[in-house]
Amino acid sequence: KQEVTQIPAALSVPEGENLVLNCSFTDSAIYNLQWFRQDPGKGLTSLLLIQSSQREQTSGRLNASLDKSSGRSTLYIAASQPGDSATYLCAPGRPGTASKLTFGTGTRLQVTL
Amino acid sequence: DAGITQSPRHKVTETGTPVTLRCHQTENHRYMYWYRQDPGHGLRLIHYSYGVKDTDKGEVSDGYSVSRSKTEDFLLTLESATSSQTSVYFCAISLRDVTYEQYFGPGTRLTVT
């Protein structure tokens, strides 16, 4: 059974800092991995998807890397802004029908002025 | 915007009553999913569908059933609601069948008293 751990559980940084969120998973036989953000009381917003054959994906100030063999992914946020404050979730997808996702419990990020 | 709506958005019900939650999509995507989100557990997959009348169980399917009679609608039924089913329920769709990138609806907050 896939287990997903996200460290740290919570993080507070001043505006402008670059930061790294970590995700580890126990079963390296994944099809893909998705990063999401969730604002309080809201649904999930997809940020980046990395296929198992890829090493990284970039979107704006976000960069996600994947090391499948070691069961790790990182989300790098450059020049953080108060609007980045949210909970960030990683979810590796299983091979097979529908690529079912297993979620970590997330990293709660606060970016202060 | 992946065109996903969920209804109702909030519901309070009594123990032992049946409850049906609806997920509706406007863009004819093949894969649909139901998750629940609870503090300390993250999101967990309940059931998913890979086509009309094609469904399968997820990680926490006990006490839940689903139906998909049309491509656009995926229904989740709690046959006899219990307090342990108090949760936030999210529907998701897979936007692209090859990458299986998932997009989420706004959620339904269900309270069972």
Side-chain angles (χ1 to χ4, degrees):
Chain A
K1 179 186 172 187
Q2 181 75 276
E3 303 281 348
V4 181
T5 303
Q6 291 188 245
I7 294 172
L11 182 63
S12 181
V13 300
E15 182 180 14
E17 274 205 7
N18 302 325
L19 55 102
V20 174
L21 307 182
N22 296 294
C23 171
S24 62
F25 46 94
T26 55
D27 185 352
S28 62
I30 65 171
Y31 185 80
N32 57 22
L33 186 142
Q34 252 181 290
W35 281 94
F36 298 88
R37 72 172 277 168
Q38 185 176 29
D39 295 287
K42 304 292 186 183
L44 280 69
T45 301
S46 179
L47 297 173
L48 289 163
L49 176 138
I50 311 176
Q51 297 291 355
S52 61
S53 58
Q54 297 175 318
R55 294 301 299 266
E56 65 180 74
Q57 279 284 355
T58 298
S59 176
R61 294 182 294 108
L62 305 179
N63 175 275
S65 67
L66 175 64
D67 184 344
K68 196 175 77 161
S69 61
S70 68
R72 294 181 183 179
S73 179
T74 61
L75 180 67
Y76 176 82
I77 302 176
S80 58
Q81 304 170 356
D84 295 330
S85 298
T87 296
Y88 290 81
L89 301 164
C90 80
R94 297 212 305 260
T97 304
S99 185
K100 299 176 282 292
L101 298 178
T102 301
F103 283 84
T105 51
T107 293
R108 190 171 68 253
L109 172 66
Q110 183 174 16
V111 181
T112 58
L113 291 170
Chain B
D1 183 2
I4 310 168
T5 57
Q6 293 185 231
S7 58
R9 295 292 315 279
H10 301 271
K11 185 169 183 67
V12 179
T13 192
E14 292 184 349
T15 298
T17 60
V19 176
T20 295
L21 309 182
R22 180 186 185 228
C23 177
H24 178 79
Q25 57 143 329
T26 58
E27 302 193 14
N28 233 24
H29 298 293
R30 180 180 174 192
Y31 295 97
M32 300 184 74
Y33 313 77
W34 277 107
Y35 293 86
R36 61 179 288 174
Q37 186 175 34
D38 304 289
H41 288 279
L43 281 93
R44 293 176 291 174
L45 181 67
I46 305 171
H47 281 278
Y48 66 97
S49 170
Y50 47 97
V52 172
K53 297 185 180 178
D54 291 323
T55 65
D56 205 348
K57 296 178 180 180
E59 182 185 353
V60 289
S61 58
D62 287 348
Y64 301 94
S65 61
V66 290
S67 65
R68 193 169 178 198
S69 58
K70 300 185 288 184
T71 299
E72 59 266 35
D73 288 326
F74 192 31
L75 304 180
L76 176 71
T77 297
L78 288 63
E79 293 139 10
S80 177
T82 68
S83 58
S84 65
Q85 294 176 312
T86 292
S87 187
V88 180
Y89 291 86
F90 287 101
C91 173
I93 62 167
S94 179
L95 198 58
R96 298 177 185 87
D97 288 356
V98 174
T99 67
Y100 295 112
E101 185 170 6
Q102 292 189 25
Y103 285 76
F104 281 71
T108 293
R109 183 172 295 276
L110 176 68
T111 302
V112 183
T113 60

